[in-house]
Amino acid sequence: GAVVSQHPSWVICKSGTSVKIECRSLDFQATTMFWYRQFPKQSLMLMATSNEGSKATYEQGVEKDKFLINHASLTLSTLTVTSAHPEDSSFYICSARPTSGGDSSYEQYFGPGTRLTVT
Amino acid sequence: GNSVTQMEGPVTLSEEAFLTINCTYTATGYPSLFWYVQYPGEGLQLLLKATKADDKGSNKGFEATYRKETTSFHLEKGSVQVSDSAVYFCALRLDSWGKLQFGAGTQVVVTP
């Protein structure tokens, strides 16, 4: 089946530093990837839609200068949390939508998530 | 705006019990509806979906029917197993790009 990986699975960083999280579709191409943030015992909140070769579309209230998204290839999207602060600590999840059409266009495949802790 | 409301957990059941997780939504237009499951330590997986009113999605013994009149998409399983212990998310699809709006998730714990 379709597999999406995220790296790292967890990271601890100091306040003020930047952290990059990778999202890879391992056995399919994904023109579109999504980045979510999940707080403890809460739902996934969509942060942005990442499209290969173009600028990401951010949801209302998400700072695009703080959460930099790059989707440079059909199998890789990165989320960089710049100048991280403790309030950025969260679980970040990506999903990838296969480029091929048909019924698979409804499918999104989710990565296992990355736990970010900012100290 | 669009929203998804699902029952709070955790829901604790004995093996072979009947499971229902309620999900209601508000949305403009006619969204597609989904149930995702997140097993411990894994990413979300699509469990089932329904794309129009009265559609029934089913998979792995789980079922849910798209009820437009009650704006609901309740998840049911007749006889749960310990392996069904997970967090279940109801979601609606907002646009053709595939943006999803999720409910808060319901943790289900099945005991032997």
Side-chain angles (χ1 to χ4, degrees):
Chain A
V3 179
V4 175
S5 70
Q6 283 185 239
H7 179 79
S9 55
W10 59 271
V11 57
I12 301 172
C13 70
K14 292 185 183 299
S15 187
T17 62
S18 295
V19 174
K20 180 185 286 188
I21 301 170
E22 294 184 348
C23 176
R24 291 183 185 272
S25 56
L26 297 185
D27 48 4
F28 65 97
Q29 293 184 330
T31 306
T32 302
M33 292 185 175
F34 302 92
W35 285 96
Y36 296 85
R37 183 172 178 177
Q38 186 179 27
F39 293 97
K41 299 187 178 181
Q42 293 188 31
S43 184
L44 285 74
M45 300 299 295
L46 179 65
M47 299 175 65
T49 301
S50 168
N51 291 298
E52 187 266 338
S54 64
K55 291 183 178 180
T57 303
Y58 291 82
E59 295 301 301
Q60 192 172 10
V62 178
E63 298 176 60
K64 62 181 180 181
D65 294 330
K66 180 167 189 61
F67 298 100
L68 300 179
I69 291 172
N70 183 276
H71 193 157
S73 78
L74 287 172
T75 59
L76 173 65
S77 176
T78 60
L79 169 67
T80 301
V81 183
T82 63
S83 187
H85 288 94
E87 57 266 31
D88 299 324
S89 299
S90 192
F91 196 56
Y92 292 89
I93 299 172
C94 73
S95 70
R97 180 183 163 193
T99 300
S100 58
D103 190 55
S104 64
S105 64
Y106 283 105
E107 285 278 5
Q108 287 182 35
Y109 299 97
F110 285 79
T114 297
R115 172 76 60 194
L116 170 63
T117 301
V118 184
T119 60
Chain B
N2 302 307
S3 67
V4 178
T5 303
Q6 60 182 106
M7 60 190 289
E8 289 188 24
V11 174
T12 303
L13 303 163
S14 297
E15 208 165 18
E16 299 183 2
F18 185 88
L19 170 68
T20 298
I21 304 176
N22 291 337
C23 172
T24 57
Y25 67 91
T26 57
T28 53
Y30 303 101
S32 296
L33 301 173
F34 303 83
W35 277 101
Y36 281 85
V37 57
Q38 185 177 32
Y39 298 104
E42 299 183 18
L44 274 75
Q45 302 173 26
L46 177 64
L47 181 60
L48 53 84
K49 67 178 187 288
T51 58
K52 61 183 186 297
D54 299 325
D55 266 4
K56 178 187 281 188
S58 61
N59 186 26
K60 299 182 180 180
F62 290 89
E63 292 184 341
T65 302
Y66 190 143
R67 301 287 188 200
K68 190 175 75 171
E69 63 276 12
T70 55
T71 61
S72 65
F73 193 53
H74 305 321
L75 182 69
E76 297 181 336
K77 185 173 184 180
S79 177
V80 294
Q81 305 299 313
V82 173
S83 57
D84 294 324
S85 298
V87 181
Y88 294 81
F89 292 91
C90 185
L92 63 82
R93 177 181 154 126
L94 295 168
D95 58 25
S96 59
W97 288 106
K99 287 169 58 174
L100 294 170
Q101 177 95 27
F102 284 91
T106 302
Q107 183 178 12
V108 172
V109 178
V110 181
T111 57

